[in-house]
Amino acid sequence: MPAYHSIFLQDQDVRIIGNIALLPLRTRTRGPAYALPPLPASTAAIDVDPDSESYDPLDEVLSLFRANTFFRNFEIKGPADRLLIYGILFVSECLGKVRSTMGSREAEKALLNAALDQFSIPGDASFPLNQAFEAPKDRQDAETLRQYLSQVRQELAMRLLQRIYMGGETPSKWWLSFTKRKFMGKSL
């Protein structure tokens, strides 16, 4: 059975740096990403329909995370898949920071610190997937990519928190069961 790929592969008018697509996001975090319209009041952030104009790659990362985590191989079909891979690896990193004894405030601090920590981008020696990702062409592209990935990390951390702590103050055991799984055997 093949892994699930991004539905954003067919998007044409998308800026690409290196070989990562800078897709629009539904976010309030400042950064280079084009902002999608907010969700309608009747739609929960967890139940966004993929056909909605507000559906973004971060919704896709969170919905495909559990299924794709079980795959050790992933055929990359385009720039949107590379963003999906990066998002899944970041969610895995975040789940490793949340403990079953943490309250939601404590987990929020831990995940926001993880999102804001220094991180490597494609082309850096410490980036784990340099064989599948191209480095940005110049310093300006590298800085734009770093800002975009920072925006992705911050928004993804906040949305993950909403899902982990849906039931209240204790984290979902179901989400935490994926703590030890490594997508493609890699971590950020």
Side-chain angles (χ1 to χ4, degrees):
M1 187 169 114
Y4 296 98
H5 294 277
S6 177
I7 63 170
F8 297 100
L9 288 172
Q10 56 267 45
D11 288 2
Q12 299 299 319
D13 298 328
V14 175
R15 182 170 179 201
I16 296 174
I17 294 181
N19 55 4
I20 297 179
L22 273 62
L23 295 164
L25 303 174
R26 188 183 70 249
T27 181
R28 282 182 247 122
T29 307
R30 287 184 36 208
Y34 171 73
L36 289 174
L39 289 174
S42 61
T43 306
I46 295 168
D47 302 327
V48 182
D49 181 30
D51 295 328
S52 166
E53 66 176 356
S54 296
Y55 188 76
D56 72 356
L58 306 183
D59 293 321
E60 183 178 55
V61 165
L62 291 170
S63 65
L64 296 179
F65 170 77
R66 297 174 301 228
N68 278 349
T69 299
F70 292 106
F71 292 100
R72 297 203 41 83
N73 299 319
F74 187 88
E75 179 188 353
I76 299 171
K77 294 188 176 183
D81 273 348
R82 287 181 180 83
L83 183 59
L84 178 67
I85 290 169
Y86 187 87
I88 289 172
L89 291 174
F90 180 68
V91 168
S92 294
E93 181 183 323
C94 286
L95 287 175
K97 304 231 183 261
V98 177
R99 303 282 172 246
S100 60
T101 57
M102 283 183 161
S104 62
R105 285 281 183 219
E106 196 177 347
E108 182 179 1
K109 278 185 189 176
L111 293 190
L112 284 179
N113 284 338
L116 295 172
D117 277 347
Q118 283 288 4
F119 60 93
S120 56
I121 62 171
D124 292 350
S126 58
F127 189 72
L129 292 168
N130 270 331
Q131 70 276 11
F133 288 72
E134 288 179 16
K137 290 182 183 92
D138 55 32
R139 223 175 247 208
Q140 184 178 358
D141 278 356
E143 188 56 36
T144 302
L145 181 61
R146 187 174 302 280
Q147 290 171 353
Y148 180 77
L149 291 178
S150 177
Q151 191 177 10
V152 165
R153 290 165 66 100
Q154 290 174 52
E155 186 64 29
L156 206 46
M158 295 310 296
R159 291 189 199 178
L160 181 62
L161 273 170
Q162 290 174 347
R163 290 176 186 235
I164 293 175
Y165 287 93
M166 266 179 68
E169 271 300 304
T170 57
S172 164
K173 291 179 185 176
W174 196 81
W175 271 96
L176 293 184
S177 68
F178 287 90
T179 300
K180 292 186 174 101
R181 301 249 8 135
K182 288 192 179 205
F183 177 58
M184 297 172 40
K186 304 277 186 192
S187 62
L188 288 180

